[in-house]
């Protein structure tokens, strides 16, 4: 039988390729959001792209962590905002709670630690949980799946 030959990529090219993955993910989130007349972007997604495209083997890059971490942390921020308002202590409580819950649910994703602050400081509404958070995070994972298939990188290493 013939084996498929895989060309070896140069170390410089290997370091440039993840940037292209992040470019694609953010571009698609932006363009699809424009088409749907909604936002599929938020600042923490830039950091999520670093992890998903440059560190695809990391537990922090797996779909469960990327999507679950953002959804859970945003939910914590929304609950804190509506229950306590915005104060130094409620901001701190929301971030601390989000970290704890991400650890307990095995959905730890560092960029999601910013989500409660984003929610509370902007006064985001409950719809923020769906767009941009859930749909945007899912789109990043879908782009990462396609990207890593094209670059022959194992991703995800685990779904659950």
């Amino acid at each position: 039988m013939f084996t498929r030959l895989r060309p070896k990529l140069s170390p410089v090219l290997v370091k440039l390729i993840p940037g292209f993955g992040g470019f694609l993910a953010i571009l698609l989130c932006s363009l699809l959001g424009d088409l749907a007349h909604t936002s599929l972007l938020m600042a923490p997604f830039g950091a999520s792209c670093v992890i998903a495209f440059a560190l695809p083997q990391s537990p922090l890059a797996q779909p469960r962590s990327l999507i679950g971490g953002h959804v859970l942390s945003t939910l914590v921020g929304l609950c804190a905002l509506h229950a306590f308002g915005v104060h130094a202590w409620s901001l701190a409580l929301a971030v601390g709670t989000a970290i704890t819950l991400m650890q307990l649910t095995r959905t730890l994703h560092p960029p999601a630690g910013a989500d409660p602050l984003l929610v509370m400081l902007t006064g985001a509404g409950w719809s923020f949980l769906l767009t941009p958070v859930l749909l945007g995070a899912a789109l990043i994972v879908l782009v990462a799946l396609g990207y890593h298939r094209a670059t022959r990188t194992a991703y995800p290493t685990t779904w659950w």
Side-chain angles (χ1 to χ4, degrees), residues 22 24 38 40 75 91-93 100-101 103 109-110 115 118 124 128-129 133 141-142 160:
L24 283 177
T38 190
L40 295 178
L75 184 59
L91 292 164
L93 177 66
T100 300
L101 290 176
Q103 283 189 298
H109 186 69
D115 296 357
L118 177 62
F128 193 80
L129 192 58
V133 176
V141 167
L142 289 174
W160 210 245

Side-chain angles (χ1 to χ4, degrees), residues 33-142:
D34 287 349
L35 283 174
H37 303 290
T38 190
S39 177
L40 295 178
L41 285 175
M42 60 180 188
F45 284 167
S48 293
C49 285
V50 172
I51 295 171
F53 294 100
L55 303 168
Q57 307 302 309
S58 169
L60 307 173
Q62 303 312 304
R64 174 191 181 102
S65 292
L66 199 151
I67 296 169
H70 278 299
V71 169
L72 184 62
S73 294
T74 299
L75 184 59
V76 167
L78 287 165
C79 289
L81 174 64
H82 292 284
F84 309 119
V86 180
H87 310 283
W89 65 268
S90 62
L91 292 164
L93 177 66
V95 170
T97 301
I99 293 168
T100 300
L101 290 176
M102 283 190 288
Q103 283 189 298
L104 289 172
T105 59
R106 297 181 302 115
T107 59
L108 191 62
H109 186 69
D115 296 357
L117 298 176
L118 177 62
V119 165
M120 295 174 75
L121 293 174
T122 63
W126 290 98
S127 64
F128 193 80
L129 192 58
L130 179 62
T131 58
V133 176
L134 176 61
L135 294 179
L139 185 55
I140 290 170
V141 167
L142 289 174

Side-chain angles (χ1 to χ4, degrees), residues 4-55:
R4 178 181 278 179
L5 296 175
R6 291 186 183 183
K8 197 149 190 160
L9 298 175
S10 76
V12 172
L13 189 56
V14 168
K15 293 199 184 292
L16 294 177
I17 291 175
F20 183 68
F23 166 83
L24 283 177
I26 297 302
L27 179 66
L28 285 174
C29 283
S30 183
L31 292 175
L32 290 175
D34 287 349
L35 283 174
H37 303 290
T38 190
S39 177
L40 295 178
L41 285 175
M42 60 180 188
F45 284 167
S48 293
C49 285
V50 172
I51 295 171
F53 294 100
L55 303 168

